[in-house]
Amino acid sequence: MHPRIYQALASPIVGHLDPYFFEVMDDTKDLLRQTFRTKNEITFPIAGTGMAGMEAAICNVVEEGDEVVVCVNGLFGARMSDIAHRNGGKVTEIKRTWGESISPADVKEALSRCRKPKAVALVHAETSTGVLQPLSEISKIAHDFGALLIADTVTSLGGCELDIDRMGIDVAFSGSQKCLNCPPGLSPMTTNEKTMAAIRNRKTRVRSWYFDIAEIEKYWSQGRAYHHTGPISMVYALREALRIVQEEGLENRWTRHRKNCEALVRGLESMGLTMLVKDAQERLPSLTAVRVPESIADTTLRGALLNQFNIEIGGGLGELKGHILRIGLMGLNSSRKNIVLVLDALEKVLNDQGHAVKR
Ligand SMILES: *Cc1c(COP(=O)(O)O)cnc(C)c1O
């Protein structure tokens, strides 16, 4: 975490209906709009982790009988499908091997089989595989079919190129603890007017009381109606995180993440390691998935990195468990210093395990 965010967390707590806190809330909404690159009125953090944002996005849009196309090429896509099912959606899954992206043609084909599709849901930055999903073309196709586009931007917000309005994303949610370097606990969210109109036109009320966006908005807008007790310290932390993003400049930040990811990949490839995502254009700048050499157990490798070098690296999830390492370079942690650190440590640990590498 950024030291300034630790400091923000230690700021004095005021009441959740204190006029001072309203100022902090308004600042946070403005900063979030700049960071999401949107004019959407409904833009605020949901009290809960990234999964709360996913739950909120889907349960507001999808009701009993709605046709939804969900792109499943990793763990988080599979969760979106599960949540859409639980809300009574008639789900069409587009399945792709983990590590590949979803093609616009696949989305078009799935939508053309629907009678009246309500939404397309996909993951912009699939943290379980390291795939950055190209969006713009899919958003056009979704809109041609009259469907809304719901995007999971948990690992892209503040780290990878993301422009909600230009990319045509109708609903997006994110997380405080990925590229924003906050503690886990808030899910920044943005929803456009077209989506709010669709929500107002629902035949049934949103099943979830806590995640009903129109109700939460009453607390986050000028009405200031009590909905739930705002998580004061976390909002302080998020505001500070967003200020840090704006001070660096969003585009500078995207470039830094992309260049550092490229440097990491060059280092890994020079050790003879293979990336999971073949197409360099589709590699997620904030998370790199690299294949574990056949002869070594990933738990041994990650254990040695943690115990000898104090470096924590993610393992594979689901069908990739044991097969990949997931190296996150998010926000503050996307730095040259960390790249050198992780490459040196990995080289040492691989050699110790009898897998000779030389850079
Ligand atoms: C981390 C993550 C989530 C879930 O966020 P939590 O904070 O763990 O609830 C959802 N989607 C993606 C792509 C993520 O990386």
Side-chain angles (χ1 to χ4, degrees):
M1 259 174 48
H2 197 291
R4 274 171 57 188
I5 297 174
Y6 279 111
Q7 227 167 9
L9 282 165
S11 306
I13 307 286
V14 295
H16 70 287
L17 298 173
D18 189 295
Y20 170 71
F21 191 61
F22 295 153
E23 284 174 29
V24 178
M25 290 167 84
D26 286 345
D27 268 5
T28 307
K29 287 205 302 187
D30 283 344
L31 286 160
L32 258 185
R33 286 193 194 100
Q34 291 172 45
T35 311
F36 268 129
R37 293 236 162 137
T38 183
K39 295 199 169 61
N40 291 343
E41 187 53 39
I42 309 260
T43 303
F44 49 65
I46 299 257
T49 66
M51 287 310 301
M54 188 188 286
E55 193 105 43
I58 295 173
C59 82
N60 279 272
V61 170
V62 179
E63 68 181 314
E64 199 69 40
D66 280 345
E67 292 173 290
V68 189
V69 170
V70 185
C71 302
V72 181
N73 54 341
L75 180 84
F76 294 104
R79 287 186 176 183
M80 295 223 274
S81 169
D82 188 4
I83 297 172
H85 272 291
R86 286 172 191 237
N87 281 280
K90 285 203 283 188
V91 178
T92 304
E93 287 189 354
I94 303 175
K95 284 199 167 157
R96 276 292 160 273
T97 308
W98 288 30
E100 290 177 10
S101 69
I102 304 287
S103 77
D106 290 342
V107 176
K108 193 168 184 177
E109 198 271 327
L111 283 167
S112 63
R113 281 189 282 124
C114 296
R115 204 177 46 84
K116 192 168 174 272
K118 181 79 167 279
V120 173
L122 51 70
V123 180
H124 182 218
E126 188 40 274
T127 325
S128 65
T129 61
V131 168
L132 181 67
Q133 174 67 46
L135 277 187
S136 297
E137 213 176 317
I138 292 181
S139 111
K140 264 194 232 91
I141 292 167
H143 296 155
D144 285 348
F145 281 86
L148 298 165
L149 182 67
I150 304 175
D152 175 333
T153 62
V154 174
T155 300
S156 49
L157 182 69
C160 321
E161 188 170 351
L162 175 68
D163 192 321
I164 295 294
D165 291 354
R166 191 176 51 74
M167 289 175 167
I169 299 170
D170 298 295
V171 189
F173 56 90
S174 190
S176 49
Q177 81 277 25
K178 302 277 166 75
C179 297
L180 298 176
N181 299 128
C182 277
L186 284 180
S187 178
M189 169 141 208
T190 187
T191 309
N192 64 14
E193 181 43 40
K194 185 168 69 168
T195 307
M196 292 314 290
I199 294 172
R200 284 193 294 272
N201 280 333
R202 286 172 61 113
K203 291 189 279 300
T204 57
R205 296 178 80 191
V206 175
R207 287 261 178 92
S208 166
W209 186 90
Y210 192 74
F211 291 135
D212 186 327
I213 295 175
E215 293 298 325
I216 301 173
E217 166 65 4
K218 291 179 186 162
Y219 174 49
W220 277 89
S221 62
Q222 296 310 312
R224 310 294 186 190
Y226 167 63
H227 175 267
H228 61 282
T229 309
I232 312 292
S233 303
M234 278 303 299
V235 177
Y236 290 159
L238 180 64
R239 177 175 66 158
E240 196 61 19
L242 297 169
R243 282 172 168 167
I244 293 166
V245 171
Q246 293 304 324
E247 282 167 26
E248 179 175 3
L250 207 45
E251 280 168 21
N252 293 340
R253 207 168 160 98
W254 297 340
T255 307
R256 171 165 63 83
H257 279 78
R258 190 171 38 74
K259 289 206 160 141
N260 285 340
C261 168
E262 286 164 5
L264 175 68
V265 169
R266 276 196 302 276
L268 293 169
E269 286 179 337
S270 77
M271 280 194 255
L273 299 173
T274 314
M275 301 308 114
L276 176 72
V277 181
K278 291 187 195 82
D279 184 345
Q281 298 295 317
E282 291 179 359
R283 288 186 192 139
L284 189 51
S286 46
L287 185 132
T288 299
V290 55
R291 290 185 186 276
V292 178
E294 295 280 336
S295 59
I296 306 172
D298 86 303
T299 42
T300 311
L301 208 56
R302 289 191 296 125
L305 286 170
L306 185 61
N307 297 326
Q308 295 173 33
F309 296 94
N310 207 21
I311 297 174
E312 191 185 355
I313 300 282
L317 299 169
E319 60 190 61
L320 292 172
K321 192 171 171 24
H323 300 297
I324 56 167
L325 298 176
R326 293 179 306 127
I327 305 176
L329 291 174
M330 301 184 189
L332 179 68
N333 301 306
S334 173
S335 65
R336 286 294 160 128
K337 179 171 145 268
N338 282 348
I339 293 166
V340 172
L341 204 66
V342 74
L343 290 173
D344 282 352
L346 202 54
E347 181 179 358
K348 166 86 169 48
V349 170
L350 284 170
N351 279 315
D352 287 351
Q353 294 299 317
H355 183 90
V357 290
K358 217 168 78 216
R359 279 197 285 143

